[in-house]
Amino acid sequence: MGQHVFDEAIALQRTQGDEQGSRWQGATHPAYWNMVGPFGGYSAALMLQAVLDDPLRQGTPVSLTLTYAAPIREGEFTVVTQRVSATRSTQHWSIQLLQGDAVVVNAIALLAVRRPVWRANEYVMPTVPAADAVPRHTRGPDSVAWVHRYAFHPVRGGFDALERRERHDDSTTEQWVRDEPPRALDFASLTSICDVFFPRIFLPRGGFVPAGTVSLTIHYHADEAALASAGSQHLLAVARGGNYSGGFFDQEGKIWAPDGTLLAATQQMVWYKE
Amino acid sequence: MGQHVFDEAIALQRTQGDEQGSRWQGATHPAYWNMVGPFGGYSAALMLQAVLDDPLRQGTPVSLTLTYAAPIREGEFTVVTQRVSATRSTQHWSIQLLQGDAVVVNAIALLAVRRPVWRANEYVMPTVPAADAVPRHTRGPDSVAWVHRYAFHPVRGGFDALERRERHDDSTTEQWVRDEPPRALDFASLTSICDVFFPRIFLPRGGFVPAGTVSLTIHYHADEAALASAGSQHLLAVARGGNYSGGFFDQEGKIWAPDGTLLAATQQMVWYKE
């Protein structure tokens, strides 16, 4: 079996490195293309993967925040990973994606060694039918490339409402999602899945509005065992919008394994035009 | 009337600057001291204020994320503000707080020019009694310094439950809060108020547990007009915890003006010991 297209798309070449960090070369991939640049989840994933592949790396991700300055142009880019601080159990990283001299994505990440301690969850996973009990959403051939890289089974809200151009005061959507073709979950693919939600503003406005993520934060709750247990199963992705004002709104999402384990929580600020 | 102690505490001296950014000198202030370092809201506020005072600055904050590598030691520190990217309407900043050569806080921020466009809010401000209808929480003289810099009027959950050492499955607290003495709200003080919530884990565990914020994100919804309108009134601060596992948990908060305007939403990842 060949390499999964996701691994091909996020592959980076380490061209330089020392005890402060590394430089990496990569290139955009048509399979994860969005409208005017790559899918934002893809760029978040490859920037995290650069840290995970850095020889200095210890621990697993606790948080990642990216701000997107401009669309990544088709072609080559450089990623710079810099370990700015470290303790026995945590690492603080700065990560930048550059094209030419321009910083296109600016990011920081926190990695840490997790420990088996007291656990609890105040969030409640929605009670929903299993993925295979819900029809898969069919995408038209004219859809942007990246949406074909995921299998979506919408449970509540979402695509149908959009197609009917209904306005919804509550922008909550619940959907099962996994990589297409299936791929065992890792931190990179979980990162990408944290950005599969279309801009919430489409729902209260009842259709397409020019909008784009400007800031994305992911809080990781999964450890390696939780990723392994989720494997290539569908994950429940729940999203809702918040406050829309001044040309920016926030939206938040949660990614659940089918067994009820929370894998990640994510928040965005999204630019919108009108 | 003299300078407010908050302004005194976050004051920085610009020692260097060019078209990339600036270096600033500052020092910790006893009035905002926590247990083993300054209150995290204070360090977030002064790092944002450095960007706001940078001659390169355009626009107002949309998002700020900080990761805390170590407690800031008592005494002097350096803040480095770097404008890494800019468009006509947005600016992307990296901000670091250093002591000696060590990066103690690593941060990024996004600023933008806000525009009067369509607005809506899916969040609902809790219906609560007015601040002056609720008794002010009295702090003992042995409390850490920074808590005396705020007036708290708890509405739901919080201090009393902690004092009774009750365990709560729902860690939601609602409280009115303002600077003490009163001070007209600005982006720096709003930033600081985003961190006034004690670690949520105290509520499900029914008491003190070693815990500290490692990553803090703030999404700003207020523009200058909303800040001016809030003035020195009490703000409603609502917080709840999320998922506790592997030694890290998330908590989120919202800061509301009394007129129902959402001023900021914030999320943290918090380290806990046991």
Side-chain angles (χ1 to χ4, degrees):
Chain A
M1 222 177 83
Q3 197 182 31
H4 192 283
V5 63
F6 184 73
D7 295 290
E8 207 179 278
I10 67 166
L12 299 176
Q13 188 98 33
R14 186 160 174 260
T15 56
Q16 207 178 304
D18 56 25
E19 68 283 4
Q20 257 92 60
S22 305
R23 283 182 80 88
W24 311 79
Q25 281 305 119
T28 59
H29 194 290
Y32 288 88
W33 201 253
N34 197 358
M35 277 178 293
V36 290
F39 164 51
Y42 158 82
S43 25
L46 72 88
M47 291 176 75
L48 180 73
Q49 191 61 47
V51 168
L52 297 179
D53 288 342
D54 199 295
L56 299 172
R57 186 262 284 214
Q58 285 185 351
T60 56
V62 170
S63 73
L64 172 70
T65 295
L66 311 97
T67 71
Y68 297 88
I72 300 171
R73 294 188 315 275
E74 193 178 351
E76 297 204 341
F77 55 76
T78 302
V79 174
V80 178
T81 50
Q82 195 194 355
R83 187 187 60 179
V84 299
S85 196
T87 66
R88 275 177 308 173
S89 59
T90 64
Q91 290 192 331
H92 298 255
W93 290 82
S94 288
I95 321 163
Q96 294 186 331
L97 189 149
L98 297 100
Q99 286 189 311
D101 292 335
V103 175
V104 183
V105 189
N106 195 32
I108 60 175
L110 170 65
L111 275 67
V113 177
R114 290 176 185 271
R115 295 160 295 115
V117 289
W118 178 82
R119 57 193 304 163
N121 196 349
E122 294 189 43
Y123 299 127
V124 178
M125 181 180 176
T127 305
V128 296
D132 59 14
V134 182
R136 179 167 169 183
H137 181 72
T138 313
R139 301 292 189 141
D142 55 338
S143 300
V144 291
W146 73 269
V147 299
H148 298 282
R149 302 282 70 78
Y150 294 95
F152 294 100
H153 293 248
V155 175
R156 175 188 170 198
F159 309 106
D160 294 349
L162 278 189
E163 282 157 14
R164 290 193 301 270
R165 301 192 63 80
E166 294 169 356
R167 291 180 184 246
H168 291 256
D169 292 338
D170 175 354
S171 68
T172 305
T173 57
E174 298 165 354
Q175 59 188 336
W176 291 103
V177 59
R178 64 153 172 76
D179 285 298
E180 175 61 36
R183 178 181 176 279
L185 192 68
D186 59 15
F187 286 112
S189 62
L190 176 60
T191 298
S192 190
I193 285 171
C194 282
D195 193 39
V196 296
F197 311 108
F198 60 76
R200 297 294 94 185
I201 195 168
F202 293 1
L203 286 165
R205 300 299 296 279
F208 179 84
V209 172
T213 303
V214 290
S215 181
L216 169 66
T217 291
I218 298 172
H219 291 160
Y220 296 88
H221 293 276
D223 56 15
E224 300 277 9
L227 296 176
S229 166
S232 60
Q233 297 177 84
H234 288 85
L235 308 179
L236 185 68
V238 182
R240 64 168 291 193
N243 186 59
Y244 309 75
S245 74
F248 295 92
F249 71 89
D250 58 340
Q251 63 182 48
E252 57 116 17
K254 293 194 175 61
I255 310 295
W256 299 88
D259 69 358
T261 303
L262 182 69
L263 301 173
T266 179
Q267 303 87 30
Q268 300 195 357
M269 282 295 264
V270 184
W271 165 88
Y272 66 99
K273 188 159 183 194
E274 56 206 26
Chain B
M1 221 176 82
Q3 198 181 28
H4 193 284
V5 62
F6 184 73
D7 296 290
E8 207 179 278
I10 67 166
L12 299 176
Q13 188 99 33
R14 186 160 175 260
T15 56
Q16 207 178 305
D18 58 25
E19 68 284 3
Q20 257 91 61
S22 306
R23 284 181 79 88
W24 311 78
Q25 281 304 120
T28 59
H29 193 290
Y32 288 87
W33 201 254
N34 197 357
M35 277 177 294
V36 291
F39 164 51
Y42 157 82
S43 26
L46 71 88
M47 291 175 75
L48 179 73
Q49 192 60 47
V51 168
L52 296 179
D53 288 342
D54 199 294
L56 300 172
R57 186 262 284 213
Q58 285 186 351
T60 57
V62 170
S63 73
L64 172 70
T65 295
L66 310 96
T67 71
Y68 297 88
I72 301 172
R73 294 188 314 275
E74 193 178 352
E76 297 205 340
F77 54 77
T78 303
V79 174
V80 178
T81 50
Q82 194 193 356
R83 187 187 59 180
V84 298
S85 195
T87 67
R88 273 178 310 174
S89 58
T90 63
Q91 290 192 331
H92 298 255
W93 290 81
S94 289
I95 322 162
Q96 294 186 331
L97 189 148
L98 297 99
Q99 288 189 310
D101 291 336
V103 175
V104 183
V105 189
N106 195 33
I108 60 175
L110 170 65
L111 276 67
V113 177
R114 290 177 184 270
R115 296 159 295 115
V117 288
W118 178 83
R119 58 193 303 164
N121 196 350
E122 293 189 44
Y123 300 127
V124 178
M125 182 180 175
T127 305
V128 297
D132 58 14
V134 182
R136 179 168 170 183
H137 181 72
T138 313
R139 301 293 189 141
D142 55 339
S143 300
V144 291
W146 74 267
V147 300
H148 298 281
R149 302 281 71 78
Y150 293 96
F152 294 102
H153 293 249
V155 174
R156 174 187 171 199
F159 309 107
D160 294 349
L162 277 190
E163 283 157 15
R164 290 193 300 270
R165 302 192 63 80
E166 294 168 357
R167 290 178 184 248
H168 290 256
D169 291 339
D170 175 354
S171 68
T172 305
T173 57
E174 299 165 355
Q175 58 187 336
W176 291 102
V177 60
R178 64 154 171 76
D179 285 297
E180 176 62 35
R183 177 181 176 280
L185 192 68
D186 58 15
F187 285 111
S189 63
L190 175 60
T191 298
S192 190
I193 285 171
C194 282
D195 193 38
V196 297
F197 310 108
F198 61 75
R200 298 293 95 185
I201 196 169
F202 293 1
L203 286 165
R205 301 299 298 279
F208 179 83
V209 173
T213 303
V214 290
S215 180
L216 169 66
T217 291
I218 298 172
H219 290 159
Y220 297 88
H221 294 276
D223 56 14
E224 301 276 10
L227 295 176
S229 166
S232 60
Q233 297 179 84
H234 288 84
L235 308 179
L236 186 67
V238 182
R240 64 168 291 194
N243 186 59
Y244 309 75
S245 73
F248 296 92
F249 71 89
D250 59 338
Q251 63 181 48
E252 58 114 17
K254 292 194 175 60
I255 311 293
W256 299 89
D259 70 358
T261 304
L262 182 69
L263 302 173
T266 179
Q267 302 87 30
Q268 301 195 356
M269 282 295 263
V270 184
W271 165 89
Y272 66 99
K273 189 159 180 194
E274 56 207 29

